[in-house]
Amino acid sequence: KLLQMETTYSKELANTSAALQRTTWEALKKTIHGTINRLNPSTLKPLISGLLQANLLRGRGILAKTLLKAGTASPSYTPVYAALVAVISSKLPEIGELVLTRMIVQFRRCYSRSDKGGALGMALFLGQLMNQGVAHELLGLQLVTLLLEDVDTDVGVRKGGGDGVSADGVEIVV
C-alpha cells in the first residue's frame, strides 16, 4: 500500500510540475506579447525594464517571433522595435543575434518569393538595427548590393537604413 501511495504521489507531482511549467510558459508568452503590443516611443523606457525582469532567455524565440510580426505589421514602429532590440542585445547579446538571424532568414524568404511587403518590412527593420548598432553596416551594404542587382525589386532600404553607413562602407561597395 505504501508503494502505491508513493507512485500516486510521484504521478501527481509530475502532473503538477508539468502544469506549473505550462502555466509559467503561458504567463511569459502573455508578458512578451503584451509588452510588444503596448510599445511606442513614450512607453519604451518603462516597458523595457518590465520586459527585462521576465525570463527572456527562456522566451527568446517568442520575443523574436513577436518582434518580426510586429515589425512587418506596422513599419512605422520599426525604430521603436529596433531600439528595444538594441537595449536587450546590450544585456543579452544572444537574443539580439537570434532576432537578427531570424530577420535575415525572413528577408531571404520574402525576397525569393517576391513578397514586396514582407521584404520591405524586413529591410526597414534591418536598416533600423544597423542604425542602432545591432547589425554591422556591411549587412546593410550587402542588402543594398542585392537590391541593386535586381532593379525590378522595389524594396526601399534607403528609407530607414542609410543613416548608419560610414564613408568607409560606401567605398567597400564601390
Side-chain angles (χ1 to χ4, degrees), residues 34-93:
T35 302
I36 300 302
N37 288 337
R38 290 179 298 183
L39 202 61
N40 62 46
S42 62
T43 62
L44 183 63
K45 190 174 181 179
L47 289 179
I48 285 175
S49 63
L51 191 60
L52 287 174
Q53 292 175 358
N55 188 359
L56 290 181
L57 287 178
R58 184 175 184 206
R60 62 187 177 268
I62 295 173
L63 179 66
K65 185 176 182 179
T66 305
L67 282 168
L68 291 180
K69 281 185 179 181
T72 305
S74 56
S76 61
Y77 282 102
T78 54
V80 179
Y81 299 138
L84 174 72
V85 172
V87 171
I88 291 173
S89 181
S90 69
K91 303 284 185 192
L92 302 164

Short mmCIF file of all heavy atoms in Angstrom, two decimals, residues 34-93:
data_model
loop_
_atom_site.label_atom_id
_atom_site.label_comp_id
_atom_site.label_asym_id
_atom_site.label_seq_id
_atom_site.Cartn_x
_atom_site.Cartn_y
_atom_site.Cartn_z
N GLY A 34 2.10 41.16 -24.63
CA GLY A 34 1.51 42.39 -24.11
C GLY A 34 2.47 43.56 -24.16
O GLY A 34 2.10 44.69 -24.50
N THR A 35 3.73 43.30 -23.84
CA THR A 35 4.73 44.36 -23.86
C THR A 35 4.97 44.87 -25.27
O THR A 35 5.02 46.08 -25.49
CB THR A 35 6.06 43.85 -23.25
OG1 THR A 35 5.81 43.40 -21.92
CG2 THR A 35 7.10 44.94 -23.22
N ILE A 36 5.10 43.97 -26.22
CA ILE A 36 5.34 44.38 -27.61
C ILE A 36 4.13 45.14 -28.16
O ILE A 36 4.29 46.13 -28.87
CB ILE A 36 5.67 43.16 -28.49
CG1 ILE A 36 6.92 42.44 -28.00
CG2 ILE A 36 5.85 43.58 -29.95
CD1 ILE A 36 8.17 43.27 -27.92
N ASN A 37 2.93 44.69 -27.81
CA ASN A 37 1.73 45.36 -28.31
C ASN A 37 1.55 46.76 -27.72
O ASN A 37 0.98 47.63 -28.37
CB ASN A 37 0.48 44.52 -28.02
CG ASN A 37 0.42 43.29 -28.89
OD1 ASN A 37 1.01 43.24 -29.95
ND2 ASN A 37 -0.29 42.28 -28.42
N ARG A 38 2.03 47.00 -26.50
CA ARG A 38 1.88 48.33 -25.88
C ARG A 38 3.05 49.25 -26.19
O ARG A 38 3.08 50.40 -25.75
CB ARG A 38 1.77 48.19 -24.36
CG ARG A 38 0.48 47.59 -23.90
CD ARG A 38 0.48 47.49 -22.43
NE ARG A 38 1.58 46.59 -22.07
CZ ARG A 38 1.87 46.20 -20.85
NH1 ARG A 38 1.18 46.64 -19.86
NH2 ARG A 38 2.86 45.38 -20.61
N LEU A 39 4.03 48.78 -26.93
CA LEU A 39 5.26 49.53 -27.16
C LEU A 39 5.04 50.70 -28.10
O LEU A 39 4.47 50.56 -29.18
CB LEU A 39 6.31 48.59 -27.74
CG LEU A 39 7.77 48.97 -27.59
CD1 LEU A 39 8.15 49.07 -26.13
CD2 LEU A 39 8.64 47.94 -28.27
N ASN A 40 5.47 51.89 -27.68
CA ASN A 40 5.52 53.08 -28.52
C ASN A 40 6.63 53.96 -27.98
O ASN A 40 7.21 53.65 -26.94
CB ASN A 40 4.16 53.79 -28.59
CG ASN A 40 3.68 54.30 -27.26
OD1 ASN A 40 4.43 54.90 -26.50
ND2 ASN A 40 2.41 54.06 -26.96
N PRO A 41 6.98 55.05 -28.65
CA PRO A 41 8.13 55.84 -28.20
C PRO A 41 8.01 56.37 -26.77
O PRO A 41 9.01 56.46 -26.06
CB PRO A 41 8.17 57.00 -29.19
CG PRO A 41 7.54 56.47 -30.42
CD PRO A 41 6.49 55.52 -29.96
N SER A 42 6.81 56.67 -26.32
CA SER A 42 6.67 57.22 -24.97
C SER A 42 6.70 56.14 -23.88
O SER A 42 7.03 56.42 -22.74
CB SER A 42 5.38 58.04 -24.86
OG SER A 42 4.27 57.22 -25.10
N THR A 43 6.36 54.90 -24.23
CA THR A 43 6.34 53.83 -23.22
C THR A 43 7.56 52.92 -23.31
O THR A 43 7.61 51.91 -22.61
CB THR A 43 5.08 52.97 -23.38
OG1 THR A 43 5.09 52.35 -24.67
CG2 THR A 43 3.82 53.78 -23.19
N LEU A 44 8.51 53.28 -24.11
CA LEU A 44 9.66 52.40 -24.35
C LEU A 44 10.45 52.13 -23.07
O LEU A 44 10.70 50.98 -22.71
CB LEU A 44 10.57 53.00 -25.42
CG LEU A 44 11.77 52.17 -25.85
CD1 LEU A 44 11.32 50.87 -26.49
CD2 LEU A 44 12.64 52.95 -26.82
N LYS A 45 10.81 53.18 -22.35
CA LYS A 45 11.67 53.02 -21.17
C LYS A 45 11.02 52.18 -20.07
O LYS A 45 11.64 51.23 -19.58
CB LYS A 45 12.08 54.39 -20.66
CG LYS A 45 13.14 54.34 -19.60
CD LYS A 45 13.63 55.73 -19.23
CE LYS A 45 14.72 55.66 -18.19
NZ LYS A 45 15.21 56.99 -17.84
N PRO A 46 9.78 52.47 -19.65
CA PRO A 46 9.21 51.63 -18.59
C PRO A 46 8.94 50.19 -19.02
O PRO A 46 9.08 49.27 -18.21
CB PRO A 46 7.91 52.34 -18.20
CG PRO A 46 7.64 53.33 -19.24
CD PRO A 46 8.92 53.60 -19.97
N LEU A 47 8.58 49.99 -20.28
CA LEU A 47 8.29 48.64 -20.74
C LEU A 47 9.56 47.80 -20.86
O LEU A 47 9.53 46.59 -20.67
CB LEU A 47 7.53 48.66 -22.06
CG LEU A 47 6.08 49.14 -21.97
CD1 LEU A 47 5.44 49.15 -23.34
CD2 LEU A 47 5.27 48.30 -21.01
N ILE A 48 10.68 48.45 -21.18
CA ILE A 48 11.94 47.70 -21.27
C ILE A 48 12.32 47.16 -19.91
O ILE A 48 12.72 45.99 -19.78
CB ILE A 48 13.07 48.59 -21.85
CG1 ILE A 48 12.88 48.76 -23.34
CG2 ILE A 48 14.43 47.98 -21.57
CD1 ILE A 48 13.87 49.69 -23.99
N SER A 49 12.19 47.97 -18.87
CA SER A 49 12.55 47.49 -17.54
C SER A 49 11.65 46.34 -17.11
O SER A 49 12.11 45.39 -16.48
CB SER A 49 12.51 48.63 -16.53
OG SER A 49 11.19 49.14 -16.42
N GLY A 50 10.37 46.41 -17.45
CA GLY A 50 9.47 45.32 -17.13
C GLY A 50 9.77 44.06 -17.92
O GLY A 50 9.69 42.95 -17.41
N LEU A 51 10.15 44.24 -19.17
CA LEU A 51 10.46 43.10 -20.02
C LEU A 51 11.75 42.41 -19.59
O LEU A 51 11.86 41.19 -19.65
CB LEU A 51 10.56 43.54 -21.48
CG LEU A 51 10.63 42.47 -22.55
CD1 LEU A 51 9.38 41.58 -22.51
CD2 LEU A 51 10.77 43.09 -23.91
N LEU A 52 12.72 43.20 -19.13
CA LEU A 52 13.99 42.61 -18.70
C LEU A 52 13.85 41.81 -17.40
O LEU A 52 14.71 41.00 -17.08
CB LEU A 52 15.05 43.70 -18.53
CG LEU A 52 15.59 44.28 -19.84
CD1 LEU A 52 16.53 45.44 -19.57
CD2 LEU A 52 16.29 43.21 -20.68
N GLN A 53 12.77 42.04 -16.67
CA GLN A 53 12.53 41.26 -15.46
C GLN A 53 11.95 39.88 -15.77
O GLN A 53 11.99 38.99 -14.94
CB GLN A 53 11.61 42.02 -14.50
CG GLN A 53 12.26 43.25 -13.92
CD GLN A 53 11.31 44.07 -13.08
OE1 GLN A 53 10.14 43.75 -12.96
NE2 GLN A 53 11.82 45.14 -12.50
N ALA A 54 11.41 39.72 -16.97
CA ALA A 54 10.89 38.41 -17.39
C ALA A 54 12.07 37.52 -17.77
O ALA A 54 13.19 37.98 -17.99
CB ALA A 54 9.95 38.59 -18.58
N ASN A 55 11.80 36.24 -17.87
CA ASN A 55 12.82 35.26 -18.23
C ASN A 55 12.98 35.25 -19.75
O ASN A 55 12.45 34.39 -20.43
CB ASN A 55 12.43 33.88 -17.70
CG ASN A 55 13.53 32.86 -17.86
OD1 ASN A 55 14.59 33.17 -18.39
ND2 ASN A 55 13.28 31.65 -17.41
N LEU A 56 13.74 36.22 -20.26
CA LEU A 56 13.88 36.36 -21.71
C LEU A 56 14.71 35.26 -22.34
O LEU A 56 14.56 34.97 -23.52
CB LEU A 56 14.47 37.72 -22.06
CG LEU A 56 13.56 38.91 -21.83
CD1 LEU A 56 14.25 40.20 -22.24
CD2 LEU A 56 12.27 38.75 -22.57
N LEU A 57 15.60 34.65 -21.58
CA LEU A 57 16.37 33.54 -22.15
C LEU A 57 15.46 32.37 -22.48
O LEU A 57 15.64 31.69 -23.47
CB LEU A 57 17.47 33.11 -21.20
CG LEU A 57 18.65 34.07 -21.09
CD1 LEU A 57 19.66 33.56 -20.07
CD2 LEU A 57 19.31 34.26 -22.43
N ARG A 58 14.46 32.16 -21.64
CA ARG A 58 13.51 31.09 -21.91
C ARG A 58 12.56 31.47 -23.04
O ARG A 58 12.19 30.62 -23.84
CB ARG A 58 12.71 30.78 -20.64
CG ARG A 58 11.78 29.62 -20.80
CD ARG A 58 11.10 29.26 -19.51
NE ARG A 58 10.27 28.08 -19.70
CZ ARG A 58 9.23 27.79 -18.98
NH1 ARG A 58 8.88 28.59 -17.99
NH2 ARG A 58 8.54 26.72 -19.21
N GLY A 59 12.18 32.73 -23.12
CA GLY A 59 11.22 33.17 -24.11
C GLY A 59 11.82 33.89 -25.29
O GLY A 59 11.15 34.68 -25.95
N ARG A 60 13.08 33.63 -25.59
CA ARG A 60 13.75 34.37 -26.66
C ARG A 60 13.13 34.09 -28.02
O ARG A 60 13.05 34.98 -28.86
CB ARG A 60 15.25 34.08 -26.66
CG ARG A 60 15.62 32.65 -26.92
CD ARG A 60 17.12 32.42 -26.73
NE ARG A 60 17.47 31.04 -26.91
CZ ARG A 60 17.54 30.14 -25.94
NH1 ARG A 60 17.28 30.50 -24.71
NH2 ARG A 60 17.86 28.89 -26.20
N GLY A 61 12.67 32.88 -28.26
CA GLY A 61 12.03 32.56 -29.53
C GLY A 61 10.71 33.29 -29.70
O GLY A 61 10.40 33.80 -30.78
N ILE A 62 9.95 33.36 -28.62
CA ILE A 62 8.67 34.09 -28.66
C ILE A 62 8.93 35.57 -28.90
O ILE A 62 8.24 36.21 -29.68
CB ILE A 62 7.89 33.89 -27.35
CG1 ILE A 62 7.48 32.45 -27.19
CG2 ILE A 62 6.67 34.79 -27.30
CD1 ILE A 62 6.86 32.15 -25.85
N LEU A 63 9.94 36.11 -28.22
CA LEU A 63 10.27 37.52 -28.38
C LEU A 63 10.67 37.82 -29.82
O LEU A 63 10.18 38.79 -30.42
CB LEU A 63 11.40 37.92 -27.43
CG LEU A 63 11.87 39.36 -27.51
CD1 LEU A 63 10.75 40.30 -27.05
CD2 LEU A 63 13.11 39.56 -26.67
N ALA A 64 11.52 36.99 -30.40
CA ALA A 64 11.97 37.21 -31.78
C ALA A 64 10.79 37.12 -32.75
O ALA A 64 10.62 37.98 -33.63
CB ALA A 64 13.04 36.19 -32.16
N LYS A 65 9.95 36.11 -32.58
CA LYS A 65 8.81 35.93 -33.47
C LYS A 65 7.82 37.09 -33.35
O LYS A 65 7.32 37.60 -34.36
CB LYS A 65 8.11 34.61 -33.13
CG LYS A 65 6.99 34.23 -34.04
CD LYS A 65 6.44 32.87 -33.65
CE LYS A 65 5.33 32.45 -34.59
NZ LYS A 65 4.81 31.13 -34.22
N THR A 66 7.57 37.53 -32.13
CA THR A 66 6.64 38.63 -31.92
C THR A 66 7.18 39.92 -32.50
O THR A 66 6.44 40.70 -33.12
CB THR A 66 6.36 38.81 -30.41
OG1 THR A 66 5.90 37.57 -29.88
CG2 THR A 66 5.33 39.87 -30.16
N LEU A 67 8.47 40.18 -32.35
CA LEU A 67 9.07 41.39 -32.91
C LEU A 67 9.02 41.37 -34.44
O LEU A 67 8.76 42.40 -35.06
CB LEU A 67 10.51 41.55 -32.43
CG LEU A 67 10.68 42.09 -31.02
CD1 LEU A 67 12.12 41.93 -30.56
CD2 LEU A 67 10.25 43.54 -30.96
N LEU A 68 9.28 40.22 -35.04
CA LEU A 68 9.23 40.14 -36.50
C LEU A 68 7.81 40.38 -37.02
O LEU A 68 7.62 41.09 -38.00
CB LEU A 68 9.74 38.78 -36.98
CG LEU A 68 11.24 38.53 -36.79
CD1 LEU A 68 11.61 37.16 -37.30
CD2 LEU A 68 12.05 39.58 -37.47
N LYS A 69 6.84 39.79 -36.35
CA LYS A 69 5.45 40.00 -36.77
C LYS A 69 5.04 41.46 -36.58
O LYS A 69 4.39 42.05 -37.44
CB LYS A 69 4.51 39.10 -35.97
CG LYS A 69 4.47 37.69 -36.44
CD LYS A 69 3.43 36.90 -35.68
CE LYS A 69 3.36 35.48 -36.18
NZ LYS A 69 2.33 34.70 -35.46
N ALA A 70 5.42 42.04 -35.45
CA ALA A 70 5.06 43.43 -35.18
C ALA A 70 5.74 44.38 -36.15
O ALA A 70 5.14 45.35 -36.62
CB ALA A 70 5.41 43.79 -33.74
N GLY A 71 7.00 44.12 -36.46
CA GLY A 71 7.73 44.96 -37.40
C GLY A 71 7.16 44.90 -38.81
O GLY A 71 7.13 45.90 -39.52
N THR A 72 6.70 43.72 -39.21
CA THR A 72 6.09 43.58 -40.53
C THR A 72 4.71 44.22 -40.56
O THR A 72 4.34 44.85 -41.55
CB THR A 72 5.98 42.09 -40.91
OG1 THR A 72 7.28 41.50 -40.83
CG2 THR A 72 5.46 41.91 -42.31
N ALA A 73 3.96 44.06 -39.48
CA ALA A 73 2.59 44.58 -39.43
C ALA A 73 2.55 46.11 -39.38
O ALA A 73 1.67 46.73 -39.98
CB ALA A 73 1.85 44.00 -38.24
N SER A 74 3.48 46.72 -38.65
CA SER A 74 3.47 48.18 -38.54
C SER A 74 4.87 48.74 -38.74
O SER A 74 5.63 48.92 -37.80
CB SER A 74 2.92 48.60 -37.18
OG SER A 74 3.67 48.01 -36.15
N PRO A 75 5.24 49.01 -40.00
CA PRO A 75 6.58 49.51 -40.30
C PRO A 75 6.88 50.87 -39.67
O PRO A 75 8.04 51.21 -39.48
CB PRO A 75 6.61 49.62 -41.82
CG PRO A 75 5.47 48.80 -42.31
CD PRO A 75 4.47 48.75 -41.21
N SER A 76 5.87 51.62 -39.30
CA SER A 76 6.12 52.93 -38.69
C SER A 76 6.71 52.80 -37.30
O SER A 76 7.33 53.75 -36.79
CB SER A 76 4.83 53.75 -38.65
OG SER A 76 3.86 53.09 -37.87
N TYR A 77 6.55 51.65 -36.66
CA TYR A 77 7.10 51.44 -35.32
C TYR A 77 8.44 50.72 -35.32
O TYR A 77 8.96 50.39 -34.26
CB TYR A 77 6.12 50.65 -34.45
CG TYR A 77 4.99 51.49 -33.92
CD1 TYR A 77 3.73 51.44 -34.49
CD2 TYR A 77 5.18 52.34 -32.84
CE1 TYR A 77 2.70 52.22 -34.00
CE2 TYR A 77 4.16 53.11 -32.34
CZ TYR A 77 2.92 53.04 -32.93
OH TYR A 77 1.90 53.81 -32.44
N THR A 78 9.02 50.47 -36.50
CA THR A 78 10.29 49.74 -36.52
C THR A 78 11.42 50.45 -35.78
O THR A 78 12.24 49.77 -35.17
CB THR A 78 10.74 49.42 -37.96
OG1 THR A 78 10.77 50.60 -38.73
CG2 THR A 78 9.84 48.39 -38.59
N PRO A 79 11.49 51.79 -35.75
CA PRO A 79 12.54 52.40 -34.93
C PRO A 79 12.39 52.07 -33.44
O PRO A 79 13.39 51.87 -32.74
CB PRO A 79 12.39 53.91 -35.17
CG PRO A 79 11.68 54.01 -36.47
CD PRO A 79 10.81 52.81 -36.57
N VAL A 80 11.16 51.98 -32.97
CA VAL A 80 10.92 51.65 -31.57
C VAL A 80 11.30 50.20 -31.30
O VAL A 80 11.96 49.89 -30.30
CB VAL A 80 9.44 51.91 -31.20
CG1 VAL A 80 9.18 51.56 -29.75
CG2 VAL A 80 9.07 53.35 -31.48
N TYR A 81 10.91 49.29 -32.19
CA TYR A 81 11.26 47.88 -32.02
C TYR A 81 12.77 47.68 -32.11
O TYR A 81 13.34 46.88 -31.36
CB TYR A 81 10.56 47.02 -33.07
CG TYR A 81 9.05 47.07 -33.01
CD1 TYR A 81 8.29 47.15 -34.17
CD2 TYR A 81 8.37 47.07 -31.80
CE1 TYR A 81 6.91 47.20 -34.12
CE2 TYR A 81 6.99 47.11 -31.74
CZ TYR A 81 6.27 47.18 -32.91
OH TYR A 81 4.90 47.23 -32.86
N ALA A 82 13.43 48.42 -33.00
CA ALA A 82 14.88 48.32 -33.12
C ALA A 82 15.57 48.84 -31.86
O ALA A 82 16.57 48.27 -31.42
CB ALA A 82 15.37 49.08 -34.34
N ALA A 83 15.03 49.90 -31.26
CA ALA A 83 15.60 50.40 -30.01
C ALA A 83 15.44 49.37 -28.90
O ALA A 83 16.36 49.16 -28.09
CB ALA A 83 14.92 51.71 -29.62
N LEU A 84 14.30 48.69 -28.86
CA LEU A 84 14.09 47.63 -27.88
C LEU A 84 15.10 46.51 -28.07
O LEU A 84 15.72 46.04 -27.11
CB LEU A 84 12.66 47.08 -27.99
CG LEU A 84 12.35 45.87 -27.11
CD1 LEU A 84 12.25 46.29 -25.65
CD2 LEU A 84 11.07 45.21 -27.56
N VAL A 85 15.29 46.08 -29.32
CA VAL A 85 16.26 45.02 -29.60
C VAL A 85 17.66 45.46 -29.22
O VAL A 85 18.45 44.68 -28.68
CB VAL A 85 16.19 44.59 -31.09
CG1 VAL A 85 17.31 43.63 -31.43
CG2 VAL A 85 14.85 43.97 -31.40
N ALA A 86 18.00 46.74 -29.45
CA ALA A 86 19.34 47.23 -29.11
C ALA A 86 19.58 47.19 -27.61
O ALA A 86 20.65 46.78 -27.16
CB ALA A 86 19.51 48.66 -29.64
N VAL A 87 18.58 47.58 -26.83
CA VAL A 87 18.75 47.55 -25.38
C VAL A 87 18.84 46.12 -24.88
O VAL A 87 19.70 45.79 -24.05
CB VAL A 87 17.58 48.31 -24.69
CG1 VAL A 87 17.61 48.10 -23.18
CG2 VAL A 87 17.63 49.78 -25.02
N ILE A 88 17.97 45.26 -25.37
CA ILE A 88 18.00 43.85 -24.95
C ILE A 88 19.30 43.20 -25.38
O ILE A 88 19.91 42.43 -24.63
CB ILE A 88 16.78 43.09 -25.49
CG1 ILE A 88 15.52 43.59 -24.79
CG2 ILE A 88 16.93 41.60 -25.29
CD1 ILE A 88 14.24 43.02 -25.35
N SER A 89 19.77 43.54 -26.58
CA SER A 89 21.02 42.98 -27.09
C SER A 89 22.22 43.42 -26.27
O SER A 89 23.20 42.68 -26.15
CB SER A 89 21.20 43.36 -28.55
OG SER A 89 22.37 42.79 -29.06
N SER A 90 22.16 44.62 -25.70
CA SER A 90 23.27 45.06 -24.86
C SER A 90 23.34 44.27 -23.56
O SER A 90 24.42 44.06 -23.01
CB SER A 90 23.15 46.56 -24.56
OG SER A 90 22.06 46.80 -23.70
N LYS A 91 22.19 43.80 -23.07
CA LYS A 91 22.16 43.00 -21.84
C LYS A 91 22.31 41.51 -22.15
O LYS A 91 23.00 40.79 -21.43
CB LYS A 91 20.82 43.21 -21.11
CG LYS A 91 20.51 44.63 -20.76
CD LYS A 91 21.31 45.10 -19.59
CE LYS A 91 20.87 46.51 -19.22
NZ LYS A 91 21.76 47.14 -18.30
N LEU A 92 21.64 41.05 -23.20
CA LEU A 92 21.65 39.63 -23.58
C LEU A 92 21.96 39.53 -25.08
O LEU A 92 21.05 39.50 -25.91
CB LEU A 92 20.29 39.00 -23.28
CG LEU A 92 19.81 39.07 -21.83
CD1 LEU A 92 18.34 38.77 -21.72
CD2 LEU A 92 20.62 38.13 -20.97
N PRO A 93 23.24 39.50 -25.46
CA PRO A 93 23.61 39.54 -26.88
C PRO A 93 23.06 38.38 -27.71
O PRO A 93 22.80 38.53 -28.90
CB PRO A 93 25.13 39.51 -26.87
CG PRO A 93 25.55 39.65 -25.47
CD PRO A 93 24.38 39.47 -24.59
#
